[in-house]
């Protein structure tokens, strides 16, 4: 069995010209995924020789990949993408460095209205699924750039500590406070604002900070006429929690008796430990890439069944416009 981290993709309109092909965005992604030569995935890895300045030189690399489309569902693409590593072996009694290209599987569900991306967790190939995601995202962005359309892949993470704290204290909580304009130690230029709800909150953060203000956004219980209702499926609540993660700003819960609980959200977005994962028999995926292998039809059915079980569907309202 193999573990796969769950991501979903979201299209971005990079400028006004994106509207010309915006309605075709999913079709354009499908065309990029159609053939291996349509996309090139590149990056940088440390060179073997040291610079002598305490670091390592970086050299550009191309990550090789192969694609397979399910005949029963052509818009489900299975990909193998290989890392570029070096391995020390012994040959004729002498050490020799050879290139090593361990691969992992990626599954794209690009059916109408679907945005699921599954990345195999395999540290012998890549250090994390986020590393794979960034490589894929850069390559796809280059392909979509001609249409002024961008893309991002977002990990689906397990509820962070805030939700656990909320569930433990919700019956005693009087206020929830999300700090705005209160950060002093983290330079604002390290935080990227965008056109999402989190991006707008960050703009408020920047304006507050530059003006010398310190404020807080408070939610109060319904009993007080407020809108304190922590729903993990609410985009508003999730955005506030994400804001706290991206800015390392604590969320504060104040109980009816005046007690205060501060909760820092895990902001280590490089780690894939908290990304929701699922398990699948990788043998089915391996069979798809075997030349002349029997049982491909049965393997495809198993892959389709697996993807249908974790389908991620969106509508236009979820896109960042």
């Amino acid at each position: 069995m193999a573990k796969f981290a769950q991501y979903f993709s979201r299209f971005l309109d990079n400028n006004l010209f994106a509207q010309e092909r915006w309605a075709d965005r999913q079709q354009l992604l499908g065309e990029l995924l159609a053939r291996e030569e349509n996309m090139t995935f590149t990056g940088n890895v440390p060179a073997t020789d040291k610079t002598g300045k305490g670091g390592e030189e970086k050299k550009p690399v191309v990550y090789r990949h192969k694609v397979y489309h399910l005949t029963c569902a052509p818009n489900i693409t299975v990909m193998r993408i290989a890392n570029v590593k070096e391995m020390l072996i012994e040959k004729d009694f002498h050490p020799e460095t050879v290139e090593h290209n361990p691969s992992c599987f990626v599954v794209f569900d690009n059916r109408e209205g679907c945005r699921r991306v599954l990345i195999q967790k395999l540290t012998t190939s890549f250090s994390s699924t986020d590393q794979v995601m960034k490589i894929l995202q850069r390559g796809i962005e280059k392909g979509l750039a001609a249409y002024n359309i961008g893309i991002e892949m977002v990990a689906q993470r397990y509820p962070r500590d805030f939700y656990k704290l909320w569930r433990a204290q919700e019956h005693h909580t009087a206020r929830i406070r999300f700090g705005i304009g209160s950060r002093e130690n983290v330079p604002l230029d390290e935080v990227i604002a965008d056109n999402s709800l989190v991006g707008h909150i960050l703009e408020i953060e920047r304006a507050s900070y530059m003006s010398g203000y310190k404020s807080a956004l408070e939610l109060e219980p319904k009993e007080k006429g407020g809108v304190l209702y922590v729903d993990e499926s609410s985009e508003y609540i999730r955005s506030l929690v994400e804001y706290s993660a991206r800015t390392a700003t604590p969320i504060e819960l104040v109980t009816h008796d005046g007690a205060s609980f501060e909760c820092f959200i895990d902001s280590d977005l490089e780690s894939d430990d908290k990304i929701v994962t699922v398990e699948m028999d990788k043998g089915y995926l391996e069979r798809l890439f075997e030349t002349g292998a029997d049982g491909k039809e049965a393997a495809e059915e198993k892959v389709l069944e697996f993807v249908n079980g974790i389908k991620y569907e969106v509508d236009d309202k979820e896109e960042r416009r």
Side-chain angles (χ1 to χ4, degrees):
M1 300 296 285
K3 285 188 176 181
F4 288 80
Q6 298 191 41
Y7 292 76
F8 64 91
S9 58
R10 190 156 50 191
F11 293 101
L12 314 174
D13 57 344
N14 288 339
N15 55 49
L16 292 174
F17 297 104
Q19 303 310 312
E20 295 178 10
R21 298 299 302 272
W22 184 255
D24 305 323
R25 58 196 182 280
Q26 191 154 9
Q27 175 192 333
L28 295 172
L29 175 57
E31 291 173 359
L32 283 177
L33 293 171
R35 291 184 298 277
E36 290 156 15
E37 59 269 24
N38 287 356
M39 286 185 297
T40 302
F41 299 110
T42 59
N44 293 288
V45 298
T48 54
D49 57 319
K50 298 277 186 177
T51 64
K53 298 179 181 178
E56 290 188 337
E57 292 180 346
K58 299 284 186 178
K59 61 178 181 180
V61 298
V62 175
Y63 299 99
R64 295 174 55 205
H65 70 286
K66 290 184 175 183
V67 297
Y68 181 94
H69 304 282
L70 302 190
T71 54
C72 59
N75 286 319
I76 294 180
T77 304
V78 181
M79 179 184 293
R80 291 192 90 151
I81 183 166
N83 202 349
V84 179
K85 295 184 176 184
E86 291 182 337
M87 176 183 290
L88 187 65
I89 64 170
E90 183 177 331
K91 185 175 181 181
D92 294 330
F93 306 103
H94 295 284
E96 183 175 318
T97 301
V98 297
E99 187 173 290
H100 177 46
N101 303 114
S103 66
C104 72
F105 289 107
V106 179
V107 181
F108 293 89
D109 183 2
N110 192 46
R111 290 174 293 177
E112 184 64 34
C114 296
R115 301 282 193 275
R116 173 63 73 204
V117 182
L118 299 165
I119 301 176
Q120 184 182 4
K121 293 188 72 169
L122 191 61
T123 54
T124 53
S125 295
F126 292 90
S127 60
S128 71
T129 55
D130 265 6
Q131 182 190 4
V132 183
M133 176 273 291
K134 289 173 183 175
I135 293 169
L136 296 171
Q137 187 169 283
R138 283 196 303 266
I140 294 173
E141 278 181 333
K142 289 177 185 175
L144 293 175
Y147 310 104
N148 300 293
I149 294 173
I151 196 170
E152 70 173 354
M153 296 181 190
V154 183
Q156 287 196 272
R157 297 180 179 270
Y158 292 106
R160 296 173 178 141
D161 295 340
F162 165 70
Y163 297 118
K164 295 179 183 177
L165 181 60
W166 163 251
R167 282 192 287 269
Q169 300 294 334
E170 62 178 311
H171 299 299
H172 313 288
T173 298
R175 294 191 307 279
I176 298 178
R177 183 179 294 123
F178 294 86
I180 303 290
S182 58
R183 298 185 316 115
E184 296 179 346
N185 299 322
V186 181
L188 283 171
D189 56 9
E190 290 184 6
V191 181
I192 300 174
D194 49 46
N195 198 35
S196 65
L197 179 54
V198 176
H200 291 307
I201 295 173
L202 290 172
E203 287 298 331
I204 297 172
E205 166 92 9
R206 181 176 284 106
S208 300
Y209 182 83
M210 297 302 292
S211 304
Y213 289 108
K214 291 184 181 180
S215 59
L217 175 63
E218 291 193 3
L219 303 182
E220 293 190 339
K222 291 181 179 179
E223 296 75 32
K224 290 189 176 182
V227 291
L228 175 58
Y229 180 67
V230 178
D231 178 1
E232 294 176 32
S233 65
S234 163
E235 180 186 356
Y236 184 66
I237 293 296
R238 284 189 286 110
S239 294
L240 289 176
V241 174
E242 182 186 345
Y243 157 82
S244 297
R246 284 168 63 170
T247 59
T249 304
I251 301 173
E252 183 182 9
L253 270 65
V254 181
T255 62
H256 291 295
D257 59 5
S260 176
F261 297 85
E262 277 198 350
C263 176
F264 278 92
I265 307 303
D266 179 7
S267 59
D268 182 13
L269 298 182
E270 295 299 318
S271 169
D272 59 5
D273 290 342
K274 292 192 175 182
I275 299 177
V276 178
T277 59
V278 288
E279 287 192 346
M280 180 187 182
D281 187 340
K282 67 176 182 178
Y284 297 124
L285 300 174
E286 290 171 344
R287 198 170 303 160
L288 300 179
F289 290 88
E290 293 173 359
T291 304
D294 294 328
K296 282 194 177 183
E297 185 177 342
E300 284 196 10
E301 290 176 359
K302 288 293 185 180
V303 174
L304 179 59
E305 180 184 339
F306 172 69
V307 175
N308 281 339
I310 48 175
K311 208 160 44 168
Y312 188 90
E313 297 178 296
V314 298
D315 54 34
D316 282 351
K317 290 188 222 177
E318 191 166 345
E319 304 288 7
R320 285 165 47 179
R321 303 294 296 273

